[in-house]
Amino acid sequence: MSNIDEARLPSTDWRAYRGVLSRRIFAFLIDYAIVALLWVPAAVAVFFLGIITLGLGWMLYPALFVIVAMLYFGLTVGGPNQASVGMNVMDLAVMRTDGRPMDFLTSIVYLVLFWIGNALLTPFILLIGLFTDRSRLLHDLLLGTVVVRRSSL
């Protein structure tokens, strides 16, 4: 049993949230580098799919990056570790405030709300984390999630 399973509810200890905001930035950079690397074989697969379907498969190209990112975050954040690869590297985990584990669909909604928040509030989206409890961002507040340091669990 992992630490995530043992501590379903987010911690009330202040050390669980120390440095989370800066770690989230680096986790974001790592994750999108991985998504970009995963996009390349997906683009090759769509190329061959387009040949097989006489060009119809090539209509996936405009949405391919979004599809790859949603699958990546849905499978990692919605998985047993409750964190993407970048979050694991930066010692972070996403938890719901109601104590339930993140699932695939909630992880995708988390990502879409993040994209919408970035589109509307960039570069101010990180300022929200400076003024909220537990350094929560807009999509955390809307979805009822919190990001904690894994080592503090």
Side-chain angles (χ1 to χ4, degrees):
M1 185 179 280
S2 70
N3 288 344
I4 296 294
D5 292 331
E6 294 168 5
R8 280 285 170 217
L9 291 175
S11 177
T12 56
D13 185 8
W14 64 272
R15 290 174 292 204
Y17 309 104
R18 187 181 54 202
V20 166
L21 200 55
S22 59
R23 289 172 179 266
R24 285 179 86 162
I25 294 169
F26 290 111
F28 168 82
L29 295 173
I30 293 168
D31 286 331
Y32 275 90
I34 292 170
V35 169
L37 289 174
L38 291 173
W39 180 85
V40 174
V44 171
V46 167
F47 174 76
F48 288 114
L49 179 68
I51 291 173
I52 293 169
T53 61
L54 302 175
L56 288 175
W58 293 329
M59 291 196 291
L60 288 173
Y61 274 124
L64 189 59
F65 191 84
V66 172
I67 293 168
V68 169
M70 284 183 171
L71 285 172
Y72 172 76
F73 284 101
L75 293 172
T76 56
V77 175
N81 286 336
Q82 305 287 278
S84 63
V85 174
M87 290 177 181
N88 277 328
V89 169
M90 297 308 298
D91 191 38
L92 299 174
V94 180
M95 301 183 84
R96 292 172 59 161
T97 55
D98 61 5
R100 293 184 295 164
M102 292 285 285
D103 59 356
F104 184 81
L105 185 61
T106 307
S107 301
I108 290 178
V109 172
Y110 184 81
L111 177 66
V112 170
L113 287 175
F114 172 73
W115 285 338
I116 292 170
N118 268 335
L120 297 176
L121 299 174
T122 298
F124 302 112
I125 191 159
L126 292 175
L127 291 178
I128 295 170
L130 296 175
F131 300 106
T132 58
D133 66 324
R134 301 183 281 186
S135 299
R136 295 170 72 190
L137 300 181
L138 180 62
H139 56 286
D140 293 319
L141 295 171
L142 291 174
L143 205 54
T145 59
V146 65
V147 177
V148 296
R149 291 183 65 169
R150 185 181 299 277
S151 60
S152 66
L153 296 177

